[in-house]
Amino acid sequence: MSKTAKGKRPVYFDDPQTDKVLAIVMALIGEVSVLRERLDTIERLLEAKDILAIADIEAYQPDDSVAKEREQWRAEYIARVLRVLQTES
């Protein structure tokens, strides 16, 4: 399944740059919304089953390998979000 939309990007504003910013914001809103719901579910399940307390999550310090994995994911994520600025319609 492709993660990119097919067809031309919809136009909402006279300035194409404004449309690009809107596309970035909407992509971020979608990502953050889904992540927030999933994280909330996981935290509630872990706490309800006495597996992990929210305080344990807050106190977690990632080691170097986890930090590197997170940095790679972050770079790829930013590239996906900003893809609209790199491609022309």
Side-chain angles (χ1 to χ4, degrees):
M1 178 178 254
S2 175
K3 289 189 177 191
T4 55
K6 295 186 180 187
K8 291 189 174 191
R9 185 176 310 283
V11 176
Y12 301 103
F13 299 98
D14 293 332
D15 182 358
Q17 298 305 319
T18 303
D19 279 323
K20 288 181 179 183
V21 171
L22 176 62
I24 291 170
V25 170
M26 295 307 295
L28 288 169
I29 288 169
E31 290 281 340
V32 170
S33 177
V34 169
L35 288 171
R36 177 66 186 102
E37 284 185 18
R38 291 180 63 88
L39 179 59
D40 180 64
T41 298
I42 291 168
E43 289 177 355
R44 289 173 189 266
L45 289 171
L46 289 171
E47 202 160 44
K49 295 180 183 234
D50 290 325
I51 296 172
L52 187 65
I54 300 297
D56 294 332
I57 295 170
E58 298 294 331
Y60 176 74
Q61 296 292 320
D63 62 22
D64 287 341
S65 102
V66 171
K68 286 178 186 175
E69 285 179 36
R70 288 179 176 183
E71 180 56 36
Q72 180 179 350
W73 178 89
R74 186 179 306 108
E76 291 168 0
Y77 175 65
I78 290 169
R80 281 194 315 274
V81 169
L82 298 179
R83 177 178 57 228
V84 69
L85 296 177
Q86 299 168 353
T87 60
E88 292 298 325
S89 302

